[in-house]
Amino acid sequence: QVHLVESGGGVVQPGRSLRLSCAASGFTFSSYVMNWVRQAPGKGLEWVAVISFDGSEKHYADSVRGRFTISRDNSKNTVSLQMNSLRAEDTAVYYCAKGSVSYTGGYFDYWGQGTLVTVSS
Amino acid sequence: IVLTQSPGTLSLSPGERATLSCRASQTLSSSYLAWYQQKPGQAPRLLIYGASNRATGIPDRFIGGGSGTDFTLTIYRLEPEDFAVYYCHQCGNSFTFGGGTKVEIK
């Protein structure tokens, strides 16, 4: 069955960087888009970034564009989120979510359990 | 596209019917509307896609409907495990989520 496991979360100071990873299994990873979605404590869901099946197309939420970079390694079945210039408002649980299609778009049919990122001095 | 969910909280008893609303700020193809369920401390789970199609393993008491700008999720005969937060989601113009509706035990 589909399994997504995020890692890399932790406590980081404002302005610093952090890299999240998501290991995928149970499906043909190289055929589907992958997304990152975050949820601030006690708040709703916010889509962060998406990458197409082959990594050729990437899109970002306005709130993170220019600071975050999504990437994938289809040989290792992993998707990553490089987060730079972190701010307090980036504090959230970050979820990796599988898309239902190959190119950007589609709903999110499987989710990981999430990894908590806390930005604090 | 902005998605507005109502009500914010729904207080109901087991066995009752829950009707959740999701209104889009512009016309949305039904193909691009999904619903998720999230329980405390857990990741969201896909319930409905394409406005009315149940995801794998989702009981038939969950019914999605609507078109255009108005979509609904109806849960018939609430079970104890259905008390959770529900989010609508559009994937037709970038991606946005509604603010969520909490279904709580009355």
Side-chain angles (χ1 to χ4, degrees):
Chain A
Q1 80 258 34
V2 175
H3 205 44
L4 300 170
V5 179
E6 301 93 339
S7 60
V11 180
V12 61
Q13 293 178 328
R16 303 298 290 267
S17 299
L18 203 62
R19 186 177 182 86
L20 306 182
S21 292
C22 171
S25 60
F27 64 102
T28 306
F29 180 76
S30 59
S31 295
Y32 294 95
V33 300
M34 295 297 296
N35 296 269
W36 287 96
V37 178
R38 68 185 181 183
Q39 187 171 36
K43 302 298 183 182
L45 302 170
E46 179 188 18
W47 169 76
V48 172
V50 63
I51 186 167
S52 60
F53 74 105
D54 60 355
S56 63
E57 192 174 344
K58 305 173 186 180
H59 298 283
Y60 301 92
D62 289 344
S63 58
V64 307
R65 187 175 294 114
R67 300 187 299 123
F68 289 12
T69 301
I70 189 171
S71 60
R72 67 190 296 159
D73 185 337
N74 285 347
S75 68
K76 296 181 179 179
N77 287 4
T78 59
V79 59
S80 299
L81 186 68
Q82 176 67 41
M83 305 185 295
N84 298 332
S85 304
L86 283 161
R87 306 167 179 167
E89 54 265 36
D90 295 320
T91 294
V93 173
Y94 284 74
Y95 295 103
C96 165
K98 173 186 171 294
S100 59
V101 295
S102 296
Y103 283 97
T104 58
Y107 50 89
F108 305 162
D109 50 8
Y110 293 94
W111 300 62
Q113 282 305 299
T115 187
L116 176 62
V117 173
T118 303
V119 183
S120 173
S121 54
Chain B
I1 296 179
V2 177
L3 299 178
T4 302
Q5 290 188 243
S6 61
T9 302
L10 207 45
S11 298
L12 295 167
S13 300
E16 291 192 299
R17 179 172 64 193
T19 302
L20 288 65
S21 173
C22 176
R23 177 162 291 176
S25 59
Q26 55 187 274
T27 298
L28 180 65
S29 168
S30 298
S31 300
Y32 300 132
L33 196 286
W35 290 91
Y36 303 86
Q37 176 194 65
Q38 187 179 34
K39 297 179 181 179
Q42 296 186 18
R45 176 177 70 147
L46 177 67
L47 290 177
I48 301 287
Y49 64 93
S52 61
N53 302 289
R54 278 187 298 276
T56 303
I58 302 303
D60 60 7
R61 63 180 181 273
F62 290 90
I63 302 290
S67 62
T69 60
D70 291 297
F71 298 89
T72 58
L73 174 67
T74 302
I75 312 170
Y76 289 89
R77 303 177 307 278
L78 280 164
E79 297 286 343
E81 62 267 27
D82 298 337
F83 292 92
V85 180
Y86 293 83
Y87 294 96
C88 59
H89 168 223
Q90 71 81 20
C91 53
N93 182 337
S94 187
F95 304 96
T96 50
F97 292 91
T101 291
K102 181 179 182 180
V103 179
E104 65 176 23
I105 299 176
K106 187 174 181 180

